[in-house]
Amino acid sequence: MSDEHKKESAAAEKKAPLHGLLAEYETPWQLLEAAKKVRDAKYERWDTFTPFPIHGIERAMGIRMTALPWFVLAAGLTGLTTAILLQWWTNAVDYPWIVSGKPFWSIAANVPIMFELTVLFSGITTLVGMLMLNGLPLPSHPLDLKERFARATNDRFFLLIQASDPKFDEVRTRALLDETRPVVLDEVLEDRVTSDRMPRGIIYAIIVLATAGAIPLALAAKARFTKSRDTRLHIIQDMDAQPKYKAQRQNPVFADLRAHRPDVEGTVAVGELRDDDHFYTGKVNGDYARTFPSQVALTDATMERGRERFGIYCAPCHGLAGDGDGMIAKRAEYLASTGRGRGMGWVPPTNLNQDYLRQQPVGQLFESITNGVRNMPAYGPQISTEDRWAIVMYLRALQHKSAAK
Amino acid sequence: MTSKDKDRTPHSSSASPKGEGSESDVHVLGDEIRPGPAVSSLATKAAGVAVLGLGASVVLGMLENDGFRRFSYAYLTAYMWGLAIGLGALFWVTLQHLVNAKWSIVLRRVGEILAGTAPVLGVLALPIVIPAFLGHDILYPWANHDRVHADHLLHHKAPYLNPTFFLIRFVVYFAFFTLLGRFFLKQSLAQDKSGGVEIAKRMQRVAGPAMILFGLALTFCAIDLLMSLEPSWFSTIFGVYYFASCVLAANSCLALAAMWLHKQGRLTRSITVEHLHDLGKMMFAFTVFWAYIGFSQFMLIWYANVPEETFWYKERFAGDWATVSTALLVLHFVVPFFGMLSRHVKRHKKALAFWAFWSLAVVYLDMYWLVMPAFGAEGLPFGPIEIGALVGIAGAVMAAAAFGARKVKNLIPVKDPRLPASLAFENI
């Protein structure tokens, strides 16, 4: 500070009104005693300043329990509710999407978010509420102008009674503080020196940061309302582009430019020779076979294999007994009954224990599995020929069983 | 100055027991810190209760005529509850040394005495361990040689889950628990005589490695005694789940022990509402921690939906067990969460005692939920056998602690250099 400046501020201070009276003590015990006196004199706008926390100061000052815990409880419950509603709305209402076979809205999956938002809301409320209840941040205070007051961060203990206190009376308050035997009892004047304006540097920094922060938003907005022929930015390649040829693509290596090579004429690939109609198509001389082909062993082992494959491939729709009441069918019925299946086409799976199916030759059942029927897709590519026959065998057993009931 | 003022000034060193003999320390504290006749009478009474409870349970178990199967399950449930107290106290003492805690010094001797129950708990485990070692599958299916050979999974797990190795592990765990408990108690008692910072530092140095070993021992102990009841099931978080119960049970017991000592006119000035408040905080924290860990274990299994993991929960979500599962969630988390949330509850002796008893009760419910479904009975088996076992184990732990307390001279470590800080401790 230059001398001129000092004079100026001294002049300004002289004109300033009284902010309060500041008492300075050498020990925390003196401060505690003084605080009790001020408390018992029923002052309201006053405070103490110490270099370290003093146990019991809150009682000596008569500070009541803060209301902050209630704010935090309310915020925590709000966070919990927000998490529940947010996940219910997004997962069950706005964009229902089945993830790993779980219900649209499953509490178990939502608990982590419920926990996080409860903690987040509580934590932020604790911090912001503490700052607000304490009147922080406080950029400047009349005490900042007192040089002696700097010792509040080092080795002295202060007590300030503000002039704005309804009980404040310059003479009587001074007498009260005098009784507590402070080292120094001093007047504090209102601050008429420090500018109220925010420093320019901070204003510029806010403008620059706000502008920079708006750039991504502006880019997102632009992308939302304009069209582009460019491909998307492909930052993480994963294995999206692989140096290989796919079926039906061009390959300049071959004269016919076909990447997909046809079999060499007059040859059959290993395992592709299907010269047994009965076994591979379920037909004998163009009619459906009524017997099992010789390749299928009519044993318990085959039956067990058929039961297993039936459970994997058929039971989800047709049910474990083949009655057409598998889990998928039940779920579809449930959705339809609750009105949630609107807009979803659904043909119920066939009951395999109907008479016309009981009378079908095994060859026809085999063909239905292989090539599919009506809504049911072809299972030939998924299930081996032996296993399809084993399923037919097991299905026949199921049909016999239901007929016997 | 109002009567509410405690007028405890900061940096007050008037309570500091510096350098003098222990007699004058007692005088300076102005507090009754000897165990006294009440502890002796508690020891004999509790031992009597233990004998009566366990005796009744054994006799009734014999009348069941099922080769002590029902009794074994009831006993294991109660035993794991008792073990939680002992191990939780051992963890608590180790933790205080590890972090150089000052607030808890006035409670530490009580913790050391509770942790000293480890050898008694080791003996109490024998009815569980011996049959398994002899190859009886009353509790543990893997103990039966024939069953192991018939079951592919058990066969694969046999290098770990077999009677001999089980016994070896059991001996190692309890030797470690006993030695660690004795070490802390002996050093602490030695400090009562000689004083000085050196002993405190030595205990802190040991606490670090001891904590690592304790974590491993507790984890495997929980896996061996509880998880292997259904040996095809596995959960890597299981040890931590049991640990949560241990800490909750131990802190509840510490609070109850402190309040009981107050009633006997002991430590009335040393242990203040501030220390009880902190124990309450720990109880609250570990109620939440238990739920956190329990849910972590559940969610991964629920999400992955793999049959070899889900069957364990399926057992517990079917029939009457569904009621127990729901009760566990509500009584072990929701109710105590809101019950113990307030600062005023934790600073109110009667309220804190209520929640300490509550916590001990729900830890038992948790153990019941962990153990009993493996018993495989229709409905929920709970009757005089279970109550007898629980009363017996509670009596045995209490008797072990009281006999331990009778042997010490002072109920607080009078020459710990951090004692003044603990006496002057205040929550803001």
Side-chain angles (χ1 to χ4, degrees), chain B residues 117-134:
Chain B
T117 56
V120 175
L121 286 163
V123 173
L124 286 172
L126 292 179
I128 301 161
V129 176
I130 297 292
F133 174 65
L134 296 176

Side-chain angles (χ1 to χ4, degrees), chain A residues 28-29 32-33 36 39-40 52 54-56 58-60 65 73 77 99-100 102 106 108-109 111-112 115, chain B residues 1-2 4-11 292 295 298-299 302-305 338 341 343-344 424 426-428:
Chain A
W29 301 287
L32 277 169
E33 289 308 316
K36 282 174 198 161
R39 174 196 69 191
D40 293 342
F52 50 81
I54 295 177
H55 283 316
E58 69 279 4
R59 276 194 300 275
M65 189 74 192
L73 180 66
L77 293 174
V99 179
S100 64
K102 303 292 193 276
S106 37
V111 168
F115 173 77
Chain B
M1 206 186 295
T2 64
K4 268 189 178 176
D5 281 337
K6 284 187 183 167
D7 284 331
R8 207 188 276 129
T9 48
H11 307 301
Y292 187 92
F295 180 75
F298 168 73
M299 193 181 76
W302 173 82
Y303 224 116
N305 209 8
F338 289 103
L341 191 56
R343 160 195 177 91
H344 304 291
E426 269 193 64
N427 290 286
I428 294 293

Side-chain angles (χ1 to χ4, degrees), chain B residues 47 83 97 122 155 233 290:
Chain B
L83 185 65
H97 288 302
H155 194 70
W233 187 71
W290 171 87

Side-chain angles (χ1 to χ4, degrees), chain B residues 98-142:
Chain B
L98 184 66
V99 301
N100 191 17
K102 297 183 181 70
W103 72 271
S104 58
I105 300 296
V106 292
L107 286 160
R108 210 184 67 207
R109 184 61 45 81
V110 182
E112 283 159 357
I113 290 163
L114 266 180
T117 56
V120 175
L121 286 163
V123 173
L124 286 172
L126 292 179
I128 301 161
V129 176
I130 297 292
F133 174 65
L134 296 176
H136 295 297
D137 56 354
I138 303 172
L139 284 169
Y140 304 107
W142 50 261

